[in-house]
Amino acid sequence: MSASLLLRPRAATPDDFGWFRKLGEYLGDAMCDFMAGSQKVEASVEAVTEARYSEWCPSQPSFSLLMRFELGKDIGEVVVVVPGQLISQILDMQYGGSGDVPTRTSFSTSETRLITRLTAHLLPSINRAMQGIMAEPARALPVVIDMQAFDLPQYRDSIVLGKIGIEDGVLGPTAIHCFIGYAQAKKIAMRHADANPTQLPAEPEWQAKMQAAAMRVALPARAVLTHTDVPVSRLLSLRTGDILPVLLPADVPLLVAGRRFARGTIGEANGRAALKIENMEGPYCE
């Protein structure tokens, strides 16, 4: 059998990064709660994909808010990206406005205070999503307000990116994003799998191949007909033609890989000596 047939197929992104989709759902719910007023707000995770930050970043508006949350010193940080214009619209609506604000390139003092409140509002949702995976609670890091100036190390260019669509009854559709380094995401995925083993069932095809391969493994089996104790003096005096008396037992044990598997009686089948199984033993009993 080819070794490749026994390799478990790589899971798709939802399997590897299901924890990240869950995080996106928590963030979406928290944003809805923060934005909610008289209008209806809904959120949904539209996509979780692998991407390169250097290719995705230029497509985003420079006037954006990057909220950074450290998930642990050995993991790194997850970044939530909110369009700067959306921050201005939320503030305007919280003060009774319609959300129709001119295009901005920087945040006002009032908007900066709103950003502080939003960061504090999202943090508990991140901790709930990561519960059971991370040993330490996440903590908020200083925010960045210029998308193009955000310094992401080259070795973290490969990211896992989540897009969270937000539908506001007044503002209409918009989206926020969250991302984390690919290597860091894989590390968390392994921790998530360890913490939730039953959430990763084996694929039926892979499981069937593994079971079939296991059934073809050959194990050493032997029937012990008899044994006798002989003094050393007798062994040293043995010569060709000497006879050692033995007593055949009524039943014979069958040993598989050194473990007692069954018991049977010696007989004949098709002109050859054979062992008839009389009963199974140990955990193999029916």
Side-chain angles (χ1 to χ4, degrees):
M1 172 178 287
S2 171
S4 63
L5 294 179
L6 297 182
L7 292 177
R8 184 172 183 171
R10 284 302 305 133
T13 295
D15 288 336
D16 280 343
F17 305 122
W19 70 268
F20 196 66
R21 177 173 288 274
K22 178 182 177 182
L23 174 62
E25 292 171 353
Y26 274 85
L27 289 172
D29 290 344
M31 282 296 298
C32 288
D33 182 59
F34 190 80
M35 295 172 61
S38 58
Q39 77 280 13
K40 182 179 179 180
V41 185
E42 295 181 341
S44 63
V45 179
E46 297 181 358
V48 173
T49 58
E50 297 174 26
R52 291 203 172 275
Y53 181 81
S54 57
E55 297 174 357
W56 170 75
C57 176
S59 66
Q60 302 303 304
S62 179
F63 181 46
S64 294
L65 169 66
L66 292 88
M67 292 181 288
R68 303 158 56 217
F69 299 91
E70 185 181 70
L71 301 181
K73 294 181 179 179
D74 63 330
I75 292 295
E77 62 190 61
V78 62
V79 182
V80 180
V81 183
V82 180
Q85 193 69 7
L86 179 60
I87 296 294
S88 300
Q89 291 174 315
I90 293 174
L91 181 66
D92 183 69
M93 294 183 65
Q94 288 186 353
Y95 277 93
S98 64
D100 185 14
V101 297
T103 303
R104 304 282 300 281
T105 58
S106 62
F107 293 115
S108 67
T109 302
S110 296
E111 289 166 343
T112 301
R113 287 197 295 265
L114 182 139
I115 290 170
T116 301
R117 290 194 290 114
L118 177 58
T119 302
H121 187 78
L122 295 184
L123 185 57
S125 296
I126 293 176
N127 283 322
R128 283 196 296 271
M130 304 302 292
Q131 189 173 9
I133 303 175
M134 307 305 302
E136 303 174 2
R139 68 184 187 93
L141 299 175
V143 300
V144 178
I145 59 174
D146 186 345
M147 187 76 184
Q148 307 305 323
F150 182 60
D151 183 21
L152 190 73
Q154 181 63 32
Y155 70 88
R156 289 182 55 195
D157 187 54
S158 181
I159 60 174
V160 175
L161 177 69
K163 181 180 180 181
I164 305 167
I166 298 177
E167 185 74 32
D168 184 283
V170 176
L171 301 179
T174 186
I176 66 172
H177 295 82
C178 57
F179 67 85
I180 187 173
Y182 179 83
Q184 289 72 31
K186 291 293 290 184
K187 185 180 292 187
I188 296 177
M190 289 188 289
R191 292 188 181 184
H192 183 266
D194 291 341
N196 304 275
T198 59
Q199 293 186 10
L200 296 174
E203 293 85 351
E205 181 181 1
W206 177 83
Q207 191 174 38
K209 288 180 179 179
M210 284 298 297
Q211 186 173 8
M215 292 296 104
R216 288 194 291 272
V217 174
L219 296 176
R222 62 189 181 95
V224 182
L225 296 181
T226 187
H227 71 274
T228 185
D229 296 325
V230 181
V232 174
S233 58
R234 179 75 175 101
L235 289 174
L236 295 177
S237 64
L238 285 177
R239 297 291 183 270
T240 302
D242 288 351
I243 296 175
L244 286 177
V246 295
L247 183 64
L248 292 177
D251 59 312
V252 176
L254 177 66
L255 305 181
V256 176
R259 294 174 178 263
R260 192 182 295 272
F261 187 82
R263 301 188 71 86
T265 54
I266 295 297
E268 184 177 311
N270 300 323
R272 302 176 60 183
L275 179 68
K276 180 182 179 181
I277 302 299
E278 300 292 348
N279 64 284
M280 307 299 293
E281 294 201 354
Y284 313 103
C285 296
E286 297 181 355

